[in-house]
Amino acid sequence: MTTETLNNHRIDFKMSPRDLINIGIFGAIYIVTIGIFNALEFIGPAMTLVSSWASIIAAGVPFMLFLTRVKHPGMVTVFAVIVNGFMLLIGSPPVTLVIGLVAAAVAEAVLYAGRYRSRKLSVIAYAVFSTWFAGLFFPMYYARQDFLTSPYMKGMGDDYVRQLDTLLSPTVLAAFDVSTLLFGLIGGALGLRLMNKHFRKAGLV
């Protein structure tokens, strides 16, 4: 195997200042996008899951545009640290960060498999990345009472919490976890369709 071949197969994690700027810009746009749609949860407990689904679909646009700038491993993971780190700061459970990092690592592997040039795998990568939303309610499986009495939930009011407790049964939670992947596919496909011109310029096929 020649030196040139070895270099072509080497995984390069080094990021340029432009890479970091792109991560920061699109991370901020992604956070704002999900923030706008997550505000729907204040309408009532029934909108809690709907707000997450809407966020996943809408955020597919900035994320897919971000992927036109991703050329090597590590960028999606840093993106996940920014997004989930922010979510942690505003009251999301710590497990959200853990699930987000795992989802980002798998998304990185999917993108690498397509050498960062596959549109189909880019959509799948976004769907996998979007499973971090499952972490928002994951403590309901193992620390339900602690989750429902957290400062964030207390701020929603007693009636809201009681209705949410009734709504989010283990079956509903499991269905929601699976649905994050489905809505991620929808959001990725939507982003791909709207950003088709940018994908062509980036050379993704």
Side-chain angles (χ1 to χ4, degrees), residues 64 67 110-111 118-127 199 204:
M64 293 300 287
L67 290 187
V110 172
L111 291 170
S118 171
R119 297 187 184 202
K120 291 181 179 179
L121 290 182
S122 293
V123 172
I124 293 174
Y126 176 64
F199 269 74
L204 276 75

Side-chain angles (χ1 to χ4, degrees), residues 9 29 38 43 48 54 57 67 71 73 80 96 101 109 139-140 147 161 164 170 173 175 180 193 199 201 203:
H9 285 80
I29 296 173
N38 271 345
I43 296 175
T48 300
I57 294 175
L67 290 187
K71 307 300 180 185
T96 304
L101 291 177
M140 293 283 279
F147 178 84
V161 171
L164 188 68
L173 286 170
T180 59
R193 183 181 181 85
F199 269 74
K201 286 183 177 180

Side-chain angles (χ1 to χ4, degrees), residues 6-204:
L6 285 171
N7 288 334
N8 289 335
H9 285 80
R10 184 178 299 163
I11 300 177
D12 183 13
F13 290 94
K14 186 178 180 180
M15 296 183 199
S16 67
R18 182 180 294 274
D19 290 332
L20 296 175
I21 291 172
N22 281 326
I23 294 171
I25 291 174
F26 287 102
I29 296 173
Y30 181 93
I31 288 171
V32 170
T33 302
I34 64 176
I36 291 173
F37 287 90
N38 271 345
L40 293 173
E41 69 177 348
F42 292 102
I43 296 175
M47 294 299 293
T48 300
L49 301 184
V50 175
S51 67
S52 293
W53 292 328
S55 296
I56 292 172
I57 294 175
V61 177
F63 189 90
M64 293 300 287
L65 185 56
F66 167 63
L67 290 187
T68 65
R69 273 74 169 176
V70 175
K71 307 300 180 185
H72 56 79
M75 292 182 68
V76 174
T77 299
V78 176
F79 186 96
V81 170
I82 292 174
V83 171
N84 295 126
F86 176 80
M87 296 302 294
L88 189 62
L89 288 175
I90 64 173
S92 295
V95 71
T96 304
L97 176 59
V98 176
I99 293 176
L101 291 177
V102 172
V106 177
E108 296 264 20
V110 172
L111 291 170
Y112 183 77
R115 295 299 184 265
Y116 304 94
R117 288 293 179 271
S118 171
R119 297 187 184 202
K120 291 181 179 179
L121 290 182
S122 293
V123 172
I124 293 174
Y126 176 64
V128 172
F129 180 84
S130 297
T131 59
W132 73 262
F133 275 83
L136 295 175
F137 308 107
F138 208 73
M140 293 283 279
Y141 286 114
Y142 58 86
R144 193 178 187 93
Q145 196 56 38
D146 290 341
F147 178 84
L148 293 173
T149 56
S150 64
Y152 181 83
M153 293 308 300
K154 283 184 177 179
M156 302 298 284
D158 293 338
D159 288 340
Y160 187 102
V161 171
R162 281 194 295 270
Q163 293 177 45
L164 188 68
D165 187 22
T166 301
L167 172 65
L168 298 183
S169 66
T171 301
V172 171
L173 286 170
F176 172 75
D177 294 345
V178 174
S179 74
T180 59
L181 192 62
L182 173 61
F183 282 93
L185 290 172
I186 296 173
L190 176 63
L192 181 62
R193 183 181 181 85
L194 295 178
M195 300 292 108
N196 188 49
K197 179 180 178 181
H198 295 279
F199 269 74
R200 287 201 305 271
K201 286 183 177 180
L204 276 75

